[in-house]
Each structure stands twice: as structure tokens, then as C-alpha cells.
Amino acid sequence: MTTPNLPQSTHDAPLRLRTLGNSGLFVSELCLGTMTFGGGDDMWGLIGQLQQEQADELMKTALEAGINFIDTANVYGGGASERIVGQSLKNLDVRREDVLLATKVLGPMGEGPNARGASRGHIMSECKASLRRLQTDYIDLYQIHGFDPATPIEETLEALNTLVHHGHVRYVGLSNWAAWQVMKAVGITRARRLCPILSLQAYYTLVGRDLEREVIPMLESENIGLMVWSPLAGGYLSGKYEGPEASEENRRAKFDFPPVNRERGSAVIAVMREIATGKKVDGQPVSVAQIALAWLLHQNAVTSVIVGAKRVDQLRDNLLAAQIRFSADELAALDEVSRLPTEYPGWMLERQGEYRAHMKAWYAALPGVTGRGRLFYLKAVRLRLFSHLDPTTTHFRRHILQFRKAIPDSQHSLLIVNMHAGLIRELRNDPSVDIRQPHGRVLGEQVTATGFAPFTAAYRCLVVGADVV
């Protein structure tokens, strides 16, 4: 079977493309997952047992829809998934440069302690085996499928670096690692000048937002891409397992994974149903499953969402999720019902960092300072000086004059104001204080004027500037 009409450029693809991490590699926002390919009488068979012809139909549908990203793993079906993916690309006559292949290594692929893990030996041998099964001479994204506590991270990263230098692998990523483990790997690659960590594949859904505590902030800080597996929480977010039409004959009855808090999940699905009601995409009513996928595509940290299917119609429904847009109110409703309960140190970081975040935003609004006359704002941090005073009263101005007299430098006048934006607005409206729109930069770090040091030591004040008449 050949498919001469597969998209050959991004202009033909309806799906959006995103760069994967800090790279120039463009991947489709939806990625075809192939865990349903080649399963037998084992755990993988509970997920899917699709054979070559069925897999070819799914691959064809995905590629024609604009997906250019295929994810598999050496353990899926004991290697059968990789073999089917490789043969499917041959059957469909797909040019190798038109598709990005991602696979993974870690799980057991034979007997004995060295036929598993993230050791150099296992990585090197399994990469070659994956290349043979995929019928290709390079893998676009080679991922460590999980953390191996028995192997030093340095050994794992050195092995991946070797594969990149040999040309067998283009980019490397991780999967199911904790934030501290990823960050340690990033530090090692930088210190040893190894190939960088490009992506993390992880579980993230409306009923599983644990990633937001530590992992997602780290990914955003380090510009590492996020690939989401099991975006429907093992089928739970299809809505089939909650409500009056719930059925006990489903995959979760045999393989209840990933774990879901059913009590919280029921409330989440109720809101999802409400939002789906009345929405249409491509002329069809929107499903709960499509809401789940669309929510992920609205999250800034997410690069690509891995969607799998057993049937072509399932895959087509999943693809339509990329066309769904939420209003601000709908996103707020989904966030409210699914939000994680606060934990330490999260609530303390938010509390202590709040005023610094306000300062950063305030400074960002001041591009540059020019002009002969300068009025300096001394922005008091934390204690919000003069918050008890009315800025329109003589009493307030008397306090200002007292502090201005304390500054020996007669070339500059210094005004202390509350950090609250409302107070600055009031000063701008005061005819006795003509403050033009600030267009300046930060003029100094801390106030060092003689006679004012005790004040700055007590209140940690910063100085910024703006033009005045």
C-alpha cells in the first residue's frame, strides 16, 4: 500500500508545529503513540494487539493529518512495536526525512541483569537493535525510559553522547525522571560538554497534575520540551468510567493504570462534560476525551501530546482536539476543579516570592530615563512605607520633605512611595507632583547616600527613576 499524498511540507499539515526544547527540531503538537502495536499474551497485549495492516491504517491517518512525530519503545510488544513502525513506513513509502522517530531504552529485553537498565552496555546494544527493527540508520530522539538507580547518571549520559557522535542518534531525552534527576543530568551535560537533554516524556493530565509541583517549573526554566504520555489517563478521561453509562467492561478493569483519584476525577469529568456541551468541532459534538487533549495543548509547558488508538475512528477523534479553543472562563473552570492542593515548599515560595515578582514586573515597565530633572522613587519592599498615609494630604508631603532633607546630594530629590500601583496613580493625578509616564531603566541598586544607610538596612529599598518637570 502506498500513500503518495502524504504531506511533504508544513503548508499541507493542519497541525501546528513546535520546537522540541532548546533545538531547531520541529515536531507536531500531536505525536502518534504506538504502544498498541504488536502486543501479545502479556501486559502489552492488554493495551493493544494491532498487527501490521491495522497499524498501517493508523500510521497513514496520522501522517495525512500532519503528524510528523512517532513514538515507540524497545519494550513495547517485546520489540514488535518498533518492527511494525519500521515496516509501516516502508509500506506507506514515506521518506525518512519526513518523519521523526522517537524510541526508548531501559526495560528488560532478555535474561540476566545486564539485559536491562541504563548502563553503557545495554544502551549501546539496544540502540543497534532498535535501528534494525525500525529499518533505519538513525533515531531522531532516543530517550531513557526511566531512572536506573543502579547506573551512575554520568555513565548513561556518556553513552548517549557516544551514540550522537556516531550518528546513530540525533537528539536525546528522558522519560519518567524526577525534577532533581533531570536537573542533575543537565548539570553533568553542561559540565562535561555532552549532548544536551532535549525533552522529558511524562504523565500529565487534568486528573494528574503532579508534574506542576517541581517538574514543569524546572522544564520551563531549562527550556526542556515536554512530551505527554497517557493524556487520557489510561482511558479514564474518555468519560466512559464515570456517570450513568459507565461500563465495567473496559481496559481499566484489567489494567488500572495510571492511578486516578476517583473522587476528584468525578468532579473534573463533570466540569469537562459541561464545557463540552454545545461545543462542536468539524460539525461534530465535542467529547470529554477531546476536552482532555485540548486542555493539554493549551498548557505552555507542553510540546507534544502522545495519542494512541486501536481504531482509525478513535485516532481521528483525537486529532480533532487540536482545533478546540477554550475561553478564559473555561480554562479557569478546568483549573479550579483540577488544581493540586498546596504543599510545602510551594506555598512558602509563593508567599516569600510575591513581592519580588511585583518588583520585577514594575521594573520591566521602565525602559529608560532621560532629561535634566529626575525624580527618584524609593520603592520600599515588604513594609510598604506610608501605606497608612493619604498621599493627597499635607501630612504626607511633610514626611516626604523630611526624607528629602536627609539626602545630602542636592542634585537629586528623593521621593519615597508605596510599592502599590494605586498610590503611584494617585501621585500622578496630584497637580502638585507632575510625574510623566516613566520610560526609564533602573538607576541604582541600593540607596547609599550618607545619612540614609540605616533606613536602607532596615527596609531593603531599591531606587528607580522617571522623568519629571
Side-chain angles (χ1 to χ4, degrees):
M1 178 173 57
T2 60
T3 54
N5 296 321
L6 290 179
Q8 300 298 315
S9 72
T10 58
H11 300 292
D12 300 320
L15 294 178
R16 291 163 294 189
L17 299 178
R18 303 176 180 182
T19 53
L20 186 62
N22 190 26
S23 78
L25 185 67
F26 284 87
V27 300
S28 50
E29 60 185 337
L30 294 179
C31 170
L32 180 64
T34 62
M35 194 187 290
T36 56
F37 293 6
D41 297 327
D42 53 10
M43 179 187 72
W44 307 113
L46 296 175
I47 298 169
Q49 300 182 7
L50 301 185
Q51 299 307 307
Q52 193 65 58
E53 186 175 352
Q54 298 163 300
D56 286 353
E57 289 296 327
L58 287 176
M59 291 276 285
K60 178 178 182 292
T61 301
L63 292 167
E64 287 180 339
I67 286 180
N68 72 344
F69 201 16
I70 313 295
D71 180 73
T72 185
N74 63 347
V75 292
Y76 295 168
S81 177
E82 286 184 331
R83 281 193 295 271
I84 291 172
V85 169
Q87 188 58 47
S88 187
L89 294 177
K90 299 293 183 184
N91 294 345
L92 297 172
D93 195 25
V94 178
R95 296 188 307 177
R96 179 63 183 88
E97 59 268 31
D98 288 336
V99 66
L100 302 172
L101 293 178
T103 191
K104 301 181 282 292
V105 60
L106 181 79
M109 292 299 291
E111 300 297 327
N114 293 318
R116 64 201 67 204
S119 68
R120 181 178 184 85
H122 187 60
I123 289 173
M124 300 297 286
S125 61
E126 282 305 312
C127 180
K128 293 179 180 179
S130 290
L131 290 170
R132 288 194 298 270
R133 288 189 290 262
L134 290 167
Q135 301 183 56
T136 184
D137 55 1
Y138 68 92
I139 295 166
D140 294 283
L141 180 66
Y142 200 44
Q143 306 155 97
I144 303 300
H145 209 160
F147 186 74
D148 179 4
T151 302
I153 296 178
E154 292 84 352
E155 179 180 341
T156 299
L157 298 175
E158 290 280 4
L160 292 173
N161 193 66
T162 298
L163 290 173
V164 171
H165 280 285
H166 286 177
H168 299 317
V169 169
R170 298 283 174 87
Y171 299 95
V172 300
L174 305 171
S175 179
N176 304 315
W177 282 38
W180 72 266
Q181 293 165 341
V182 176
M183 200 61 234
K184 185 173 182 180
V186 168
I188 292 170
T189 59
R190 290 172 180 169
R192 299 193 176 196
R193 297 187 177 181
L194 307 176
C195 57
I197 303 300
L198 198 64
S199 63
L200 177 72
Q201 190 174 143
Y203 170 65
Y204 183 40
T205 68
L206 273 167
V207 289
R209 294 174 62 178
D210 310 76
L211 228 58
E212 295 176 6
R213 296 200 190 280
E214 298 284 349
V215 174
I216 284 181
M218 177 274 300
L219 296 178
E220 292 179 329
S221 169
E222 304 306 314
N223 196 12
I224 295 174
L226 174 60
M227 299 166 61
V228 176
W229 61 261
S230 197
L232 299 182
Y236 180 81
L237 288 176
S238 66
K240 299 175 185 175
Y241 310 139
E242 297 289 343
E245 300 179 0
S247 171
E248 294 299 323
E249 296 297 323
N250 53 64
R251 196 198 89 180
R252 275 194 165 266
K254 301 176 181 177
F255 187 55
D256 194 11
F257 182 84
V260 172
N261 182 322
R262 294 297 183 95
E263 184 177 347
R264 294 190 68 214
S266 295
V268 172
I269 288 179
V271 173
M272 294 170 71
R273 288 190 196 279
E274 183 179 343
I275 291 175
T277 302
K279 275 188 181 292
K280 287 191 175 182
V281 58
D282 213 23
Q284 300 296 320
V286 168
S287 67
V288 171
Q290 289 168 337
I291 294 293
L293 296 172
W295 179 82
L296 284 169
L297 294 175
H298 279 71
Q299 305 311 301
N300 292 332
V302 174
T303 305
S304 189
V305 177
I306 302 171
V307 292
K310 295 180 182 178
R311 304 188 314 271
V312 169
D313 63 299
Q314 286 180 330
L315 179 58
R316 284 178 176 152
D317 284 344
N318 290 340
L319 291 168
L320 290 174
Q323 300 180 33
I324 296 173
R325 300 293 180 268
F326 293 127
S327 68
D329 288 343
E330 289 169 338
L331 285 171
L334 290 170
D335 178 66
E336 180 67 28
V337 73
S338 64
R339 187 182 303 150
L340 293 170
T342 56
E343 289 184 354
Y344 181 82
W347 54 261
M348 192 61 175
L349 292 172
E350 182 178 355
R351 180 183 179 88
Q352 290 183 321
E354 182 180 7
Y355 68 92
R356 297 286 286 176
H358 288 317
M359 288 167 55
K360 184 177 180 181
W362 203 79
Y363 291 156
L366 298 174
V369 175
T370 58
R372 296 181 59 188
R374 282 178 179 158
L375 177 67
F376 287 84
Y377 293 121
L378 183 61
K379 196 169 116 176
V381 178
R382 289 286 284 173
L383 296 187
R384 302 189 178 188
L385 300 182
F386 301 123
S387 59
H388 62 291
L389 299 177
D390 182 351
T392 64
T393 64
T394 305
H395 186 50
F396 176 82
R397 292 189 180 85
R398 187 159 55 246
H399 276 75
I400 296 299
L401 291 173
Q402 288 173 356
F403 277 104
R404 286 169 65 176
K405 289 176 181 178
I407 304 300
D409 187 352
S410 59
Q411 295 180 0
H412 304 295
S413 57
L414 191 139
L415 176 64
I416 301 175
V417 300
N418 187 296
M419 66 182 289
H420 194 273
L423 179 56
I424 297 174
R425 284 196 298 270
E426 291 183 53
L427 284 171
R428 284 187 179 144
N429 294 330
D430 186 344
S432 66
V433 183
D434 188 357
I435 304 177
R436 295 179 180 177
Q437 181 66 30
H439 53 83
R441 53 183 171 76
V442 177
L443 295 178
E445 286 284 326
Q446 283 202 333
V447 180
T448 56
T450 305
F452 214 72
F455 178 83
T456 60
Y459 298 101
R460 272 203 74 192
C461 299
L462 300 176
V463 178
V464 295
D467 278 0
V468 295
V469 174

